[in-house]
Amino acid sequence: MKRIPLAALALALLASPAAQAQKKPAAAPTADQKMKQFIDGLMGKMTQDEKIGQLNLVSVGFDVTGPVVSKDVDANIRKGLVGGVFNTFTPVAIRKLQEMALKESRLHIPLMFGYDVIHGHRTIFPIPLGLAASWDMAAVEQSARIAAEESTADGLDWVFSPMVDIARDARWGRIAEGAGEDPYLGSRIARAMVRGYQGPGNDLTKDNTVMACLKHFALYGAAEAGRDYNTTDMSLQRMYNEYLPPYKAAVDAGVGSVMSSFNDVNGTPATGNKWLMTDLLRKQWGFKGFVVTDYTAINEMMEHGMGNAAQVSALALNAGIDQDMVGEIYLKNVADNIKSGAVSKAQLDAACRRILEAKYKLGLFQDPYRNVSAQRATSTLVKPEFIAAARDIARKSMVLLKNERSTLPLKKTGSIALIGPLANRQRDVIGNWSGAGDWKQAVSVEQGLRAAAPSLKITYAKGANIADDAQMLERLNAHGGDLELDKRSSEEMIREAVQVAQAADVVVAVVGESQGMTGEAASRSDIGLPGQQLALLKALKATGKPMVLVLMNGRPMTLPWENQNADAILETWFAGTQAGHAIADVLFGAYNPSGKITATFPQVVGQVPLYYNHKNTGRPFGGEKLDKYKSRYLDVSNEPLYPFGYGLSYTTFSYGKPTLSKTTLSPTETLEVKVTVQNTGNYDGEEVAQLYLRDVVGSISRPVKELKGFQKVMLKKGESKTLTFRLAPNDLKFYNNDLKFVAEPGDFKVFVGGNSRDVQEVSFKLAAK
């Protein structure tokens, strides 16, 4: 009998019909496997220069925010040396450049198109600081969703938003672009914005979703002295507990890209910081997208003192920076970096792959034009329902700061003296970074009031310039300010305004900053009303007429005289396309204001940085005037003018005593906090009930309060509701000295109220394991 080798026998058995019948079909490749296979094939055809080209992001068009301008763009696109384009939009412009890449470059790799869509694209919503003041996550998400609809219809794939930097210094101009000072609220807003831009399932292939870009990573809002582009230095504990959470929340929500910040982080510029971009962002947090610089940030590392062009190029790529915005430093140096051994080919491949993966996820390899057409743009941009949403969201963002003797709402009969340099300004109401919005289509305060009350006598007087410094106006106009200096003297302008006020029943003074006084490169050392606006208000006060202030500004301001002397103050920020109508709705009572500030307003600029969730000192000041040796000022109290979470309504709300489901909690249990809120006034209205927590004793010093929950609730006149908050185990945790996320047993305090100051307190104990 012939012996058959075991190996041959096994092969024969596997090949038999019975074995074939039992063999499972090969599993279909996953989406990630398909993407990898596609990109492997593409990269196998690419030259080194073409790979470097994908790392090059060029600017074509508007808003140059640095000293470098992209050159030879068309030629570089044809050579395959451009990965993406920003600062251009419209179907015609996008199609022209995309066709150039698809038809004239060797490998026909599509371009990616980005733009600064910060608070709307064509339909402009309130600035982000105003959006945050709504405390309405559905409204925040809706604003981003509409921005995604419009920007994709205009040919864009990518938006440089959300900005989630925690900001506690009102001098910093870019505080306008974020959610304010609190990490919990900032995290909630970061998630809502990413969801709005990228859609609930992060399906970027849909033609009405855009890839979001988290910015600015990291700690940009902590720039020293509130001065833009300045250095940042802080402990790891503060970083992890107070500044990093909103970035982490956006990454967890699936944000597709991240932008590096201009500042250094503990000595190393963010753009060259490997710990930040690789160890933290990719390894600890698991971020899978790509990282782009801010405008020429790699080049600027030379000014930071990090080396010459070749050295900073290598530093950035090795740190994990994938795409260079405008600087073209990768284009000029990476090949030599590889040749010298300063950068590996593997590092270049990793960066190139991440850019190509983003394009794949956007569906650009399947449809490079993503339904970009003039017809779609016409049917989508500035739709009536978008305009209606802009008006509603603008109303929700406004904060009533004062309302003595029920001055507001105003009556639609009699006469109003409408005074102030911002009262008829269409350009300013849409604010800074207002994208592709057409300010000529925006509604000014004057237009809004006249439309809301056509039978009301409204007489206008300018009263003052926004700023009297010609050099300041020149600077503002360089950013599209459209401002003119009134040739009349301040005395003459104030005299006219007083005459108009004396003939009216009530004064509505629209004052504040121009849109160019906040945003990038717009830090201010004095955050009071600029120019002669305060002198104007003092003259109007002397008339004895009721005086309502309508504020437009992109930051907390110092308003001690205004708070003391105005009868009512309405904070409207820069409220967007429908600002005038929304302001009129609030002033006349068609909408009851419900906004709450998310950045503390100081009494004087010398108090900043000022924020509610500070730590105690060994000598906390209790308010005793003669208690000298405490942490205090000699010339002003420690208290803010308006605390975090503050905002009034035309009605009033009362809070019952909070109750707890348990007074002793195990580390795995959830605590329920119940509180009854009643509308005790004469109007239906919304209230933002806020829950704060204090860890009384910790292994490191803990803040005096931390926001851990909020609910926005509508209550009819006389109605009450019992709200339930839940504190999960993670809400009690913090990063300790070892950067471990822990909850330590001991005493906790819970505070519930309508702002961070006016709260009621209960206590519980966290038991040991």
Side-chain angles (χ1 to χ4, degrees):
M1 182 175 179
K2 185 177 179 182
R3 291 181 176 271
I4 302 175
L6 287 176
L9 178 61
L11 287 171
L13 289 171
L14 287 171
S16 69
Q20 289 292 327
Q22 294 178 8
K23 188 177 179 181
K24 292 182 180 179
T30 65
D32 284 348
Q33 288 170 335
K34 287 181 180 179
M35 179 174 67
K36 183 179 183 304
Q37 184 179 20
F38 177 86
I39 292 173
D40 283 347
L42 179 57
M43 289 185 66
K45 301 173 186 175
M46 296 175 73
T47 66
Q48 180 173 281
D49 283 348
E50 286 168 334
K51 291 175 183 177
I52 295 169
Q54 289 301 304
L55 280 52
N56 185 29
L57 176 64
V58 301
S59 173
V60 178
F62 321 98
D63 297 330
V64 176
T65 60
V68 179
V69 179
S70 298
K71 298 177 181 177
D72 303 321
V73 172
D74 289 5
N76 282 335
I77 289 174
R78 293 184 177 102
K79 294 174 186 176
L81 299 181
V82 174
V85 176
F86 81 109
N87 275 346
T88 193
F89 55 89
T90 73
V92 173
I94 297 292
R95 185 171 288 273
K96 176 185 175 183
L97 294 175
Q98 192 69 286
E99 284 182 349
M100 192 180 297
L102 293 171
K103 295 179 179 179
E104 300 183 53
S105 69
R106 188 178 75 90
L107 292 178
H108 321 299
I109 298 173
L111 299 168
M112 184 165 51
F113 293 90
Y115 195 58
D116 277 298
V117 178
I118 308 300
H119 51 110
H121 180 58
R122 298 283 191 168
T123 303
I124 305 301
F125 297 92
I127 60 171
L129 191 61
L131 282 172
S134 74
W135 296 66
D136 188 325
M137 297 305 103
V140 171
E141 181 177 331
Q142 184 186 19
S143 73
R145 179 89 297 275
I146 290 172
E149 294 268 2
E150 290 194 328
S151 55
T152 53
D154 238 355
L156 297 169
D157 315 302
W158 184 24
V159 294
F160 302 140
S161 176
M163 192 202 93
V164 303
D165 302 319
I166 295 297
R168 295 169 169 177
D169 191 330
R171 293 172 296 179
W172 190 53
R174 301 195 82 164
I175 194 171
E177 294 178 46
E181 70 191 45
D182 184 70
Y184 177 84
L185 179 62
S187 297
R188 291 280 303 272
I189 289 173
R191 287 193 289 268
M193 293 290 283
V194 171
R195 182 182 171 93
Y197 288 132
Q198 298 189 173
N202 288 317
D203 184 356
L204 298 178
T205 63
K206 292 183 177 179
D207 60 21
N208 65 348
T209 61
V210 285
M211 181 171 58
C213 185
L214 163 68
K215 66 182 192 182
H216 306 88
F217 195 62
L219 319 182
Y220 192 31
E224 290 183 359
R227 198 170 71 242
D228 216 352
Y229 316 117
N230 207 10
T231 191
T232 301
D233 198 0
M234 69 175 64
S235 68
L236 287 171
Q237 290 78 12
R238 166 167 274 193
M239 199 183 296
Y240 273 76
N241 285 313
E242 301 173 34
Y243 281 82
L244 291 179
Y247 304 114
K248 176 68 159 52
V251 170
D252 290 344
V255 71
S257 63
V258 167
M259 183 183 291
S260 69
S261 56
F262 284 121
N263 56 286
D264 69 318
V265 176
N266 294 345
T268 304
T271 307
N273 197 312
K274 187 173 183 179
W275 172 82
L276 190 67
M277 298 299 171
T278 297
D279 297 343
L280 178 65
L281 181 62
R282 297 193 188 283
K283 293 181 180 178
Q284 290 186 35
W285 292 358
F287 176 63
K288 302 298 183 186
F290 75 95
V291 179
V292 63
T293 74
D294 209 330
Y295 204 105
T296 67
I298 303 177
N299 308 56
E300 291 168 27
M301 285 200 289
M302 290 185 278
E303 292 290 346
H304 278 276
M306 304 306 293
N308 59 29
Q311 290 170 319
V312 298
S313 170
L315 184 65
L317 195 56
N318 286 327
I321 299 294
D322 301 311
Q323 196 166 56
D324 168 24
M325 183 187 286
V326 179
E328 297 193 351
I329 204 162
Y330 279 169
L331 205 61
K332 297 172 183 176
N333 290 277
V334 168
D336 288 339
N337 288 154
I338 290 173
K339 189 174 181 180
S340 70
V343 167
S344 69
K345 289 183 178 180
Q347 192 67 50
L348 169 61
D349 283 353
C352 178
R353 178 177 293 276
R354 286 190 282 259
I355 303 300
L356 295 175
E357 284 177 351
K359 294 181 179 183
Y360 186 96
K361 291 173 183 176
L362 284 163
L364 291 173
F365 289 107
Q366 289 74 35
D367 179 8
Y369 302 104
R370 279 173 43 108
N371 196 25
V372 174
S373 69
Q375 182 179 1
R376 183 183 170 213
T378 300
S379 64
T380 302
L381 300 177
V382 200
K383 290 197 292 191
E385 53 264 46
F386 295 170
I387 291 294
R391 181 172 180 165
D392 184 52
I393 293 171
R395 300 186 308 185
K396 291 177 178 178
S397 75
M398 294 174 190
V399 184
L400 184 63
L401 296 174
K402 184 179 180 182
N403 193 25
E404 293 291 321
R405 298 179 295 278
S406 299
T407 302
L408 294 176
L410 297 172
K411 296 180 176 62
K412 291 187 177 181
T413 57
S415 59
I416 284 178
L418 180 62
I419 294 170
L422 290 161
N424 61 359
R425 291 283 303 167
Q426 291 171 277
R427 173 63 190 94
D428 288 300
V429 295
I430 64 173
N432 56 76
W433 284 125
S434 44
D438 182 358
W439 62 263
K440 294 177 183 177
Q441 300 301 314
V443 181
S444 71
V445 177
E446 182 178 12
Q447 289 169 329
L449 295 185
R450 292 189 188 280
S455 61
L456 181 66
K457 182 182 178 183
I458 299 174
T459 308
Y460 168 74
K462 185 176 182 180
N465 290 303
I466 292 175
D468 292 305
D469 184 335
Q471 190 175 30
M472 169 70 81
L473 286 176
E474 185 179 350
R475 257 188 248 124
L476 296 174
N477 284 332
H479 293 279
D482 187 47
L483 290 164
E484 291 183 5
L485 189 66
D486 197 299
K487 302 301 182 184
R488 294 176 293 171
S489 69
S490 295
E491 293 77 13
E492 187 179 356
M493 296 171 71
I494 290 174
R495 188 163 52 249
E496 179 195 44
V498 167
Q499 289 172 351
V500 169
Q502 288 170 332
D505 297 324
V506 63
V507 173
V508 174
V510 188
V511 293
E513 303 174 305
S514 81
Q515 57 83 30
M517 289 179 174
T518 57
E520 186 171 357
S523 296
R524 294 182 62 204
S525 64
D526 179 353
I527 54 174
L529 291 178
Q532 295 298 309
Q533 293 182 73
L534 182 54
L536 168 65
L537 296 182
K538 289 179 177 179
L540 294 174
K541 174 69 176 179
T543 67
K545 300 290 183 176
M547 183 167 65
V548 177
L549 301 191
V550 174
L551 295 176
M552 282 189 207
N553 45 291
R555 56 163 54 85
M557 301 188 76
T558 51
L559 305 164
W561 185 93
E562 295 87 337
N563 181 65
Q564 187 70 28
N565 290 279
D567 295 285
I569 304 175
L570 181 66
E571 173 61 83
T572 71
W573 316 106
F574 299 112
T577 300
Q578 287 288 291
H581 290 319
I583 291 168
D585 287 343
V586 174
L587 290 179
F588 290 121
Y591 181 85
N592 188 351
S594 61
K596 306 266 189 173
I597 59 173
T598 64
T600 301
F601 278 51
Q603 297 180 66
V604 296
V605 72
Q607 290 178 297
V608 299
L610 185 65
Y611 47 96
Y612 86 92
N613 49 350
H614 60 85
K615 295 181 179 181
N616 242 343
T617 75
R619 296 187 177 189
F621 182 59
E624 302 85 0
K625 290 184 179 179
L626 299 178
D627 200 354
K628 181 177 181 181
Y629 295 103
K630 293 294 181 75
S631 179
R632 57 166 292 189
Y633 299 100
L634 290 176
D635 56 345
V636 69
S637 74
N638 291 358
E639 294 303 307
L641 185 64
Y642 306 119
F644 175 86
Y646 176 83
L648 303 175
S649 169
Y650 293 151
T651 191
T652 53
F653 300 96
S654 67
Y655 285 76
K657 184 76 173 177
T659 61
L660 305 178
S661 59
K662 295 175 181 292
T663 54
T664 300
L665 195 68
S666 80
T668 59
E669 290 181 305
T670 294
L671 180 71
E672 285 194 351
V673 183
K674 293 183 183 291
V675 64
T676 299
V677 184
Q678 183 177 10
N679 183 339
T680 54
N682 297 318
Y683 294 85
D684 297 347
E686 289 180 288
E687 169 69 341
V688 180
Q690 301 157 43
L691 182 143
Y692 298 86
L693 186 70
R694 181 177 183 183
D695 188 348
V696 178
V697 177
S699 59
I700 62 174
S701 181
R702 306 292 295 122
V704 296
K705 287 188 185 82
E706 294 178 283
L707 182 69
K708 292 295 181 180
F710 61 88
Q711 294 184 40
K712 192 165 189 177
V713 57
M714 168 60 79
L715 295 172
K716 294 181 179 179
K717 175 183 173 181
E719 183 183 10
S720 63
K721 287 183 181 179
T722 298
L723 308 180
T724 300
F725 294 90
R726 291 177 176 82
L727 286 171
N730 274 359
D731 293 321
L732 311 185
K733 292 182 178 180
F734 65 95
Y735 288 93
N736 64 15
N737 267 329
D738 298 321
L739 297 184
K740 292 181 179 178
F741 194 50
V742 298
E744 296 177 343
D747 294 328
F748 287 79
K749 293 181 179 180
V750 176
F751 310 90
V752 182
N755 60 70
S756 61
R757 180 189 63 198
D758 303 317
V759 293
Q760 297 198 58
E761 176 187 327
V762 289
S763 300
F764 71 93
K765 186 181 291 291
L766 179 66
K769 291 182 180 179

